[in-house]
Amino acid sequence: MGMGYIILAGLIMLGSWLVSSRLKSKFELYSKLHLQNGMSGKEIAEKMLADHGIRDVKVISVEGQLTDHYNPADKTVNLSEAVYNQRNAAAAAVAAHECGHAVQHATAYSWLTLRSQLVPVVNVASSYMQWILLAGILMINSFPSLLLIGIVIFAATTLFSIVTLPVEYDASNRALAWLESKRMLTQQEQAGAKDALKWAARTYVVAALGSIATLLYYVSIYMGGRRD
């Protein structure tokens, strides 16, 4: 697909790897910072939900690493086994962050609502997007409209990655504000939780930038094909 695409893909992969590696090291570091209050991730999550008057959301444990998420469909805060059971700054940060999404849901936070509306579109788009883009590039001279269709579909996934940014940052801000206001953590633990969530958020920034850059690359191919 050209040297430009190879260089772009390489830079995106490098940026993603660097941020992911830094995130992993940060979580390993703060996993060793044990909470003086002795609370587990599960207990942190349940208290945050209760303090926000949310009674219909369950906190459950799921297998795997970095599998933590909030599911608005069945109203569950899903915490990985390490976060669910552990009693450290990293676990507190993740548990509170996922509860931040539950608070967003309960308060009808507009960006979360928009992201939820985009989910079915992105799911369908992801199934066909790469094949349409590939065919569109191969047929750019004979059928340029096919690439345009692929670009429109890819734009939907790019929009999703952009909308995800305020959702994730807001959830972290809600988590950190609650942890601080309720004095759940010591000053050192609070700083660790904040740093961990900062690097977690940067993974979404890298993903969004990568998606935007790739979208612009496909647009440049389309515009070049039209000029030819």
Side-chain angles (χ1 to χ4, degrees):
M1 291 187 181
M3 184 58 65
Y5 179 81
I6 294 174
I7 294 174
L8 175 63
L11 290 174
I12 292 171
M13 290 177 63
L14 177 61
S16 178
W17 178 81
L18 289 173
V19 172
S20 296
S21 296
R22 189 63 170 167
L23 173 63
K24 183 179 179 180
S25 67
K26 288 291 184 178
F27 269 83
E28 288 178 352
L29 173 64
Y30 299 127
S31 292
K32 300 175 183 177
L33 183 57
H34 299 290
L35 300 184
Q36 288 190 14
N37 64 22
M39 296 178 70
S40 66
K42 172 182 180 291
E43 292 166 340
I44 291 282
E46 289 176 340
K47 179 166 175 53
M48 182 171 174
L49 293 173
D51 285 351
H52 285 84
I54 300 175
R55 311 292 180 185
D56 58 347
V57 173
K58 294 182 179 180
V59 180
I60 62 176
S61 176
V62 293
E63 296 181 352
Q65 294 181 330
L66 301 179
T67 51
D68 312 273
H69 65 282
Y70 170 68
N71 188 338
D74 60 7
K75 292 188 175 182
T76 56
V77 171
N78 301 262
L79 302 179
S80 59
E81 294 174 346
V83 172
Y84 188 87
N85 295 310
Q86 295 301 312
R87 306 169 189 272
N88 53 59
V94 173
H97 172 87
E98 298 308 333
C99 288
H101 289 308
V103 176
Q104 290 174 338
H105 189 199
T107 57
Y109 179 58
S110 58
W111 287 105
L112 179 65
T113 301
L114 177 58
R115 188 175 73 166
S116 297
Q117 292 172 342
L118 288 172
V119 167
V121 176
V122 171
N123 288 340
V124 173
S126 298
S127 301
Y128 306 101
M129 178 176 61
Q130 294 301 327
W131 296 108
I132 294 175
L133 286 169
L134 177 61
I137 292 173
L138 294 175
M139 301 174 64
I140 184 65
N141 294 321
S142 59
F143 188 24
S145 296
L146 183 59
L147 179 57
L148 180 59
I149 293 172
I151 289 172
V152 171
I153 295 174
F154 191 90
T157 64
T158 300
L159 176 61
F160 181 82
S161 67
I162 294 172
V163 169
T164 293
L165 294 178
V167 174
E168 295 300 327
Y169 273 96
D170 180 76
S172 290
N173 289 337
R174 290 174 190 263
L176 293 169
W178 175 79
L179 289 169
E180 184 174 13
S181 66
K182 298 298 181 178
R183 298 182 179 179
M184 299 297 295
L185 309 180
T186 65
Q187 186 174 357
Q188 183 184 16
E189 293 163 357
Q190 182 77 18
K194 182 177 181 179
D195 194 34
L197 291 180
K198 176 184 71 177
W199 281 97
R202 286 177 179 175
T203 62
Y204 294 99
V205 174
V206 171
L209 291 175
S211 186
I212 292 170
T214 304
L215 175 63
L216 292 176
Y217 175 71
Y218 286 129
V219 170
S220 70
I221 293 177
Y222 174 74
M223 297 303 294
R226 286 178 59 86
R227 284 194 295 270
D228 292 342

